[in-house]
Amino acid sequence: MIHFYVDMIYKAEKYIHDSHELLDIKQDIDKIDFAMRNIQTLEGIRYANELDRELRRKYPTINLMLNIANCLPKTLENRKGISKTESIPESDALWQDRCGIICHVLLKKNVVSSLEQCICKVTEESIHG
């Protein structure tokens, strides 16, 4: 799981919501939110997959972010007493898309100069009962 610096996420979201120039990005974030709310149906899963493909073409930053995160060392994060819920791959993909778009905004607004500056850490979760 990729963890981001919270203050940077807030900055990017503020830019997205306050800037007319980023209206297209805001609309894409809204599409992600809609897809995640409606992912429980077969039609919702189809829409999520189509949106994921569209966003990855539109924002190359998403794949760059994932490639960088895959190369970073992973820390093991233990969660005691919490049962792991099954994740929906389409939902995970949309979350990654959202994070990649956030990184795209941070680069565009010169808040960061590299994608590595957006990523706080990468973890592998281990559940202990």
Side-chain angles (χ1 to χ4, degrees):
M1 175 181 282
I2 305 170
H3 300 265
F4 296 89
Y5 291 104
V6 176
D7 60 326
M8 288 193 192
I9 292 172
Y10 290 138
K11 280 183 188 179
E13 288 177 346
K14 183 166 176 38
Y15 283 127
I16 291 167
H17 292 289
D18 293 349
S19 175
H20 182 63
E21 121 190 37
L22 301 177
L23 181 60
D24 191 39
I25 291 173
K26 181 183 181 330
Q27 290 171 342
D28 290 335
I29 295 289
D30 290 344
K31 287 179 190 177
I32 291 170
D33 293 343
F34 174 82
M36 290 183 80
R37 283 191 309 271
N38 294 289
I39 208 159
Q40 297 80 15
T41 65
L42 186 56
E43 185 178 320
I45 289 173
R46 274 193 220 121
Y47 177 73
N49 284 323
E50 290 172 18
L51 181 59
D52 177 49
R53 284 190 295 275
E54 173 190 328
L55 293 172
R56 287 179 189 239
R57 278 191 305 271
K58 187 173 182 178
Y59 300 98
T61 307
I62 296 168
N63 287 325
L64 291 172
M65 175 201 67
L66 293 172
N67 290 339
I68 289 168
N70 285 333
C71 293
L72 293 174
K74 292 167 186 57
T75 59
L76 186 61
E77 191 167 281
N78 292 321
R79 302 222 174 196
K80 188 173 177 109
I82 299 174
S83 63
K84 185 174 170 82
T85 58
E86 290 293 319
S87 66
I88 300 170
E90 293 82 6
S91 179
D92 292 346
L94 289 174
W95 178 252
Q96 292 171 349
D97 294 343
R98 182 186 187 92
C99 294
I101 292 170
I102 296 280
C103 291
H104 171 83
V105 170
L106 293 170
L107 287 166
K108 183 175 182 141
K109 291 297 186 176
N110 295 315
V111 174
V112 297
S113 58
S114 72
L115 288 171
E116 291 88 344
Q117 291 175 302
C118 299
I119 300 171
C120 176
K121 65 181 177 179
V122 180
T123 61
E124 290 182 23
E125 291 187 13
S126 171
I127 309 300
H128 295 283

